[in-house]
Amino acid sequence: MTLEQLRIFIAVAEREHLTRAAEALPLSPSAVSAAIAALEGRYGVKLFDRIGRRLALTEAGRLFLIEARRVLAQAREAETVLHEVAGAQRGLLCLSTSQTVGNYWIASRLARFRDDFPGVEVRLHIGNTEQAAALVLSGEADMGLVEGRVDDPRLFVTPLEGDRVVMVTPPGTDETPQRFVAREKGSGTRAILDEVLRAQGLSEEAIVLTLPSNEAVRAAVEAGSGAAVLSWLVVEGAVAAGRLAAREIDVPVRPFHLIRLKERSEGRAAAAFKTICAG
């Protein structure tokens, strides 16, 4: 049974006439007659009685008409969904981000996207760079936005705007820091700290505390636990309030990266959000 057969059956049932149904569809009378005969022959059920020049529904035909209309209505709803998704009027966009991006950088971009595509639901998962990339690779996220470096041949990697990284210490700390608070391995922020330590001739033993979030690291530095290397986005408010002192460090501005699985098709919503992030 096909949707076309259902449409033909409904047209005949509503007009009680093959020729009039054929004109409305539009199809040839022979095509309409063949479709009805195919339905009746396949299921061994008579759908119409011929009364003079009129076709009247049998009991089976009346019951089938109710269900045929219901199925066609559901098909139209499904078709509407496809059109709306294709036009990004509705749908679902799953994003995975590292912490600096997810907690500080992405909010204004999400607001712009929401204004343009209010019918698209956005689900955001925030972890570290490795965790964000893993969700993209598994197909659970449509795209990822991370500050760490990701090298994987299965991914498209698009650089975005740069992120300034600074060293922060408690106010009044003049000497070169020897004790550091760090993010966990797998974090883009941790990777930069490791580079800084190597450049200063220090080992990982200089890390006295490892914490799972930028906010926890910042709070530990404010409490006097040591220095840290963090995004300016994370520490700007604390520096302005005098709770932290910032020092420039000799590392290049790091770009954020948009990552996407090469094997995954890019929907219109994802493409639109990518454009917003790149703008």
Side-chain angles (χ1 to χ4, degrees):
M1 183 187 305
T2 67
L3 291 177
E4 182 66 11
Q5 288 174 323
L6 293 182
R7 291 189 183 96
I8 292 171
F9 166 74
I10 292 171
V12 174
E14 290 175 344
R15 290 162 182 82
E16 298 183 333
H17 200 282
L18 280 175
T19 302
R20 292 172 188 164
E23 291 172 350
L25 286 168
L27 291 170
S28 67
S30 60
V32 173
S33 179
I36 298 300
L39 279 174
E40 292 179 327
R42 174 162 183 171
Y43 297 100
V45 175
K46 191 174 184 180
L47 299 173
F48 294 97
D49 286 324
R50 186 174 293 276
I51 303 175
R53 301 182 64 180
R54 184 174 70 88
L55 294 178
L57 286 168
T58 63
E59 179 63 20
R62 285 193 292 271
L63 292 174
F64 184 56
L65 179 60
I66 296 170
E67 297 304 322
R69 283 172 169 162
R70 182 178 299 151
V71 169
L72 276 191
Q74 291 174 338
R76 283 192 294 269
E77 289 178 8
E79 188 176 33
T80 298
V81 168
L82 289 179
H83 282 304
E84 290 179 349
V85 170
Q89 297 175 47
R90 65 186 289 188
L92 173 64
L93 179 63
C94 295
L95 304 173
S96 62
T97 73
S98 52
Q99 288 195 20
T100 302
V101 177
N103 290 324
Y104 297 93
W105 184 84
I106 202 172
S108 62
R109 279 84 182 172
L110 287 176
R112 287 173 56 194
F113 180 80
R114 182 68 177 172
D115 288 342
D116 293 341
F117 303 99
V120 177
E121 177 187 354
V122 178
R123 294 180 186 171
L124 178 64
H125 182 277
I126 301 174
N128 61 33
T129 293
E130 283 189 0
Q131 291 165 343
L135 289 177
V136 175
L137 287 167
S138 70
E140 295 177 65
D142 297 299
M143 65 176 61
L145 294 139
V146 298
E147 69 260 22
R149 184 179 178 87
V150 178
D151 292 312
D152 193 302
R154 294 170 292 177
L155 296 174
F156 289 121
V157 181
T158 304
L160 302 175
E161 69 178 30
D163 176 38
R164 178 186 170 205
V165 179
V166 297
M167 182 182 295
V168 289
T169 62
T173 304
D174 297 326
E175 66 273 11
T176 301
Q178 301 294 311
R179 293 161 49 90
F180 289 86
V181 183
R183 285 282 308 281
E184 75 286 358
K185 290 283 189 181
S187 158
T189 301
R190 173 59 180 269
I192 290 182
L193 174 60
D194 289 343
E195 292 179 10
V196 170
L197 293 180
R198 285 193 293 269
Q200 294 183 2
L202 298 174
S203 69
E204 287 191 0
E205 293 181 357
I207 298 174
V208 297
L209 195 57
T210 300
L211 296 170
S213 74
N214 293 325
E215 293 71 28
V217 171
R218 182 184 64 204
V221 177
E222 291 180 20
S225 297
V229 170
L230 290 169
S231 165
W232 179 249
L233 296 172
V234 177
V235 301
E236 181 179 10
V239 172
R243 299 194 305 271
L244 291 175
R247 306 182 183 192
E248 298 296 332
I249 53 177
D250 188 22
V251 296
V253 172
R254 64 174 182 178
F256 293 142
H257 296 93
L258 187 149
I259 56 176
R260 188 169 61 84
L261 192 63
K262 292 179 179 178
E263 294 179 348
R264 185 166 188 154
S265 60
E266 184 178 62
R268 185 172 177 185
F273 188 70
K274 182 173 70 174
T275 299
I276 288 173
C277 290

